Amino acid sequence: VQLQASGGGLVQPGGSLRLSCAASGSIFSINAMGWSRQAPGKQRELVAVITSSGTTNYGDFVKGRFTISRENAKTIYLQMNSLKVEDTAVYVCNADVRTEPGGSLFPSWGQGTQVTVSS
């Protein structure tokens, strides 16, 4: 299973970015997909997650600024608005994947995309 993330970059405070993540490989189904982030010297934290039924959950720091959405079973987006300097981090896409009918779910992680918020 591969998770390809894109859309990171450099943006000024108050700006916006849209991240995308596409899953590929031997996938029967995906239960949930989402984003975590890790800044230098800090622990990884949940940004947002969306389930196969469309239920979403966000980290407390998001406060309505980010929106996660799902284009199809294997592609998600994270629209980030009103970005702050403290949002600077590597954003990593992850998914809970089932590779065969009735099989166990296992977590899969992408390589991440850098988001830098700076003036």
Side-chain angles (χ1 to χ4, degrees):
V1 176
Q2 295 83 40
L3 297 177
Q4 183 65 49
S6 62
L10 173 64
V11 64
Q12 292 185 340
S16 298
L17 281 175
R18 189 194 195 202
L19 306 183
S20 64
C21 178
S24 62
S26 181
I27 299 171
F28 173 73
S29 65
I30 297 177
N31 184 45
M33 289 182 75
W35 297 90
S36 298
R37 72 183 188 182
Q38 187 163 21
K42 295 186 178 181
Q43 290 188 332
R44 180 173 289 185
E45 59 183 348
L46 170 72
V47 178
V49 62
I50 185 168
T51 69
S52 57
S53 61
T55 300
T56 59
N57 191 32
Y58 296 92
D60 290 341
F61 61 87
V62 170
K63 298 186 186 300
R65 300 182 296 128
F66 299 174
T67 302
I68 190 169
S69 59
R70 199 160 189 165
E71 177 178 310
N72 53 44
K74 298 180 183 179
T75 302
I76 62 170
Y77 301 101
L78 182 69
Q79 178 66 43
M80 303 187 294
N81 299 326
S82 302
L83 283 162
K84 305 175 182 180
V85 172
E86 51 264 42
D87 292 319
T88 296
V90 175
Y91 285 69
V92 180
C93 177
N94 60 275
D96 291 331
V97 177
R98 188 174 278 116
T99 59
E100 59 184 9
S104 298
L105 284 169
F106 70 93
S108 184
W109 298 84
Q111 290 188 332
T113 184
Q114 176 71 44
V115 172
T116 302
V117 185
S118 175
S119 56

